[in-house]
Amino acid sequence: MDRCVVLVDAGYLLGAAASLLAGEPTRSRISVDHAALIRGLRERAEADTQCDLLRIYWFDGAPDRVPQPEHRRLRVMPRVTVRLGALTRSDGGRWAQKGVDAAMHAELTELARNRACADIVLVTGDGDLLPGLMSAKEHGVAVHLWAVQAADGDYNQSEDLVAEADERRVLDRSWITAAVRAKDLTGVCAPQSASRPDIAAILSAPLPESAKNGSAPPAAAPEPAEVPAAPPPVPAEEQDAVAATGKTATGVPTPKDLAGLGRPTPPQSAQVTPPGATLRWSSDRGWVERGTTGESPEIAALPMLAQLTTAEQRWADREEDITAVSGDPFEVGQVFARRWLERLTAPVHVQTLAREYPRIPHRIDGELLRYAARFGLLAHKDDQIDEHDRYAIRAGFWREVDTPATPATAPQTAAAEGTSVPD
């Protein structure tokens, strides 16, 4: 049968790519265009074997074998089959794949025994596959072994595996970078934007002189009827920890850090937030005063996304989540906000939401975080979304909403920056 099959050990391919591009074999240090990667594998395999592709098998580990966002995207791509092993944590705290090698060995020998293809491409470096490779050769299958260029210039594959393969190819840096790039982890948790610098400013604004001197900044907008109560003072030892930069050990100042320093909100958001008000995020329940009567009637009237979504839209949303949404926390917030905005029927809801910036009303925020949980953002975190991810999710939400400087200019500002505002 003049067809070829590609078996990919994702742990090897992406770990070696991370070592090459980011200096360490941690997959979180790279971002992957999976569509481009699969396309590159198919084109290279067909060119090397001179056979049409039958299928690409993608072998990877996942906690409890539950598909992660990248696995959901991959398994709906044409000619791609995903096989998952378990991902477990060792006593030393390192994550290890279990069952992936055994699954690759079984697939390799079964394909060869059934003469399903003439050529098999193996993208792996694990010597445990040596018996399967030898068995495939005995059944008349040509075995091609592909390696990722090693960061140190040496082999990153078993020498016995290399010696036994019929053909060998090295995927060099130029091939890898067509679909994989190293992440820039030096910035804030969410991408910065020229049109919304206040999002980044919330996380990293310097302490102004007025705050250092104890004076409040001038009022920029009429004070709302209900102002949230100021939080209790931060203990002295915590103030010392953030006094210099206002940042926690993670490098990202939290609302509690900023409140303890008396830091006001950035200039843009100050126009819709009373002077001296505490930066609030609805997950920090101890720092949000909701009062005894609950939310205001305007906030309570804000519709949730589920209320705005028809059965047909719900199906289409799920299809988009599976095939197009990567699961990046910032992108998840954007997708949720885009759907909410597109389905609103009253522009006044956008203005009401803008007055709450930077806090997302509790009901909508809860729905947003439940939506984010679909993308595996709860994995390994004891059913809690990491604080860094929560900031990114909400920053993505506000970036898509693109809160105007003042409620009165909401339609004009949104139109100028390309944000859709419903009629």
Side-chain angles (χ1 to χ4, degrees):
M1 189 70 69
D2 292 335
R3 297 181 296 189
C4 67
V5 170
V6 181
L7 306 183
V8 180
D9 179 350
Y12 166 76
L13 174 60
L14 300 182
S19 293
L20 180 63
L21 301 181
E24 59 182 86
T26 305
R27 287 163 63 171
S28 61
R29 295 292 306 275
I30 57 175
S31 60
V32 183
D33 182 343
H34 289 91
L37 183 59
I38 293 299
R39 184 169 58 252
L41 289 169
R42 178 172 186 167
E43 292 173 354
R44 177 59 59 86
E46 291 181 337
D48 280 10
T49 64
Q50 298 298 305
C51 296
D52 293 333
L53 177 75
L54 172 62
R55 191 173 297 115
I56 295 175
Y57 288 91
W58 185 273
F59 296 87
D60 202 0
D64 300 322
R65 291 185 167 87
V66 175
Q68 300 299 293
E70 64 181 274
H71 304 138
R72 293 201 300 269
R73 290 196 303 276
L74 284 163
R75 67 185 182 182
V76 297
M77 293 180 183
R79 303 293 180 119
V80 176
T81 295
V82 175
R83 298 278 188 258
L84 294 179
L87 194 63
T88 60
R89 189 188 288 275
S90 64
D91 294 339
R94 297 179 64 87
W95 290 98
Q97 297 182 157
K98 298 295 182 182
V100 173
D101 296 339
M104 287 189 72
H105 181 278
E107 200 71 59
L108 174 61
T109 54
E110 193 70 14
L111 288 167
R113 183 181 298 113
N114 292 325
R115 300 186 182 278
C117 55
D119 294 72
I120 292 179
V121 175
L122 287 178
V123 186
T124 185
D126 197 333
D128 291 345
L129 283 175
L130 181 61
L133 188 154
M134 297 172 64
S135 175
K137 291 175 62 177
E138 291 171 359
H139 284 88
V141 174
V143 180
H144 304 248
L145 182 65
W146 288 1
V148 176
Q149 178 182 337
D152 57 6
D154 200 356
Y155 283 129
N156 52 14
Q157 291 179 304
S158 162
E159 291 189 18
D160 291 335
L161 205 64
V162 171
E164 193 66 31
D166 293 307
E167 303 283 349
R168 185 171 183 266
R169 173 178 289 278
V170 175
L171 303 175
D172 60 17
R173 181 185 292 268
S174 62
W175 190 93
I176 293 295
T177 53
V180 183
R181 64 178 178 83
K183 289 181 179 178
D184 180 8
L185 302 181
T186 60
V188 295
C189 62
Q192 299 202 22
S193 169
S195 61
R196 282 307 306 277
D198 50 332
I199 291 176
I202 287 177
L203 302 178
S204 58
L207 184 64
E209 291 298 327
S210 58
K212 293 179 181 178
N213 299 332
S215 58
E223 186 169 329
E226 187 175 339
V227 178
V234 176
E237 58 272 15
E238 293 186 21
Q239 292 185 17
D240 293 339
V242 298
T245 62
K247 296 186 178 181
T248 63
T250 61
V252 179
T254 67
K256 296 178 185 179
D257 297 333
L258 301 180
L261 291 170
R263 181 171 296 170
T265 55
Q268 275 192 294
S269 58
Q271 298 187 43
V272 293
T273 308
T278 303
L279 282 175
R280 301 167 299 165
W281 297 87
S282 56
S283 63
D284 297 315
R285 297 189 178 186
W287 295 83
V288 178
E289 289 291 338
R290 295 194 177 91
T292 58
T293 59
E295 295 176 323
S296 67
E298 293 82 5
I299 297 301
L302 288 175
M304 297 175 66
L305 179 60
Q307 298 171 322
L308 301 169
T309 303
T310 66
E312 292 79 7
Q313 288 172 327
R314 189 173 298 111
W315 183 91
D317 290 349
R318 193 63 174 170
E319 180 75 8
E320 182 184 16
D321 290 344
I322 293 173
T323 60
V325 181
S326 70
D328 174 76
F330 189 82
E331 181 189 7
V332 167
Q334 286 185 299
V335 170
F336 182 94
R338 171 172 53 78
R339 291 172 182 168
W340 190 79
L341 290 170
E342 288 174 348
R343 294 163 194 175
L344 283 177
T345 56
V348 66
H349 291 318
V350 180
Q351 300 173 10
T352 301
L353 181 67
R355 288 194 293 269
E356 289 293 297
Y357 179 80
R359 174 181 176 258
I360 301 176
H362 182 61
R363 292 181 307 118
I364 296 176
D365 185 67
E367 189 180 30
L368 170 61
L369 295 182
R370 287 193 297 274
Y371 170 69
R374 297 181 190 175
F375 295 90
L377 295 176
L378 297 180
H380 322 320
K381 295 168 186 170
D382 300 323
D383 293 334
Q384 295 292 324
I385 296 180
D386 180 76
E387 182 179 30
H388 187 277
D389 288 345
R390 284 189 279 116
Y391 272 88
I393 291 166
R394 294 185 176 106
F397 178 92
W398 283 116
R399 177 64 187 89
E400 189 69 20
V401 172
D402 208 12
T403 308
T406 60
T409 62
Q412 294 87 337
T413 304
E417 296 184 4
T419 302
S420 173
V421 177
D423 296 324

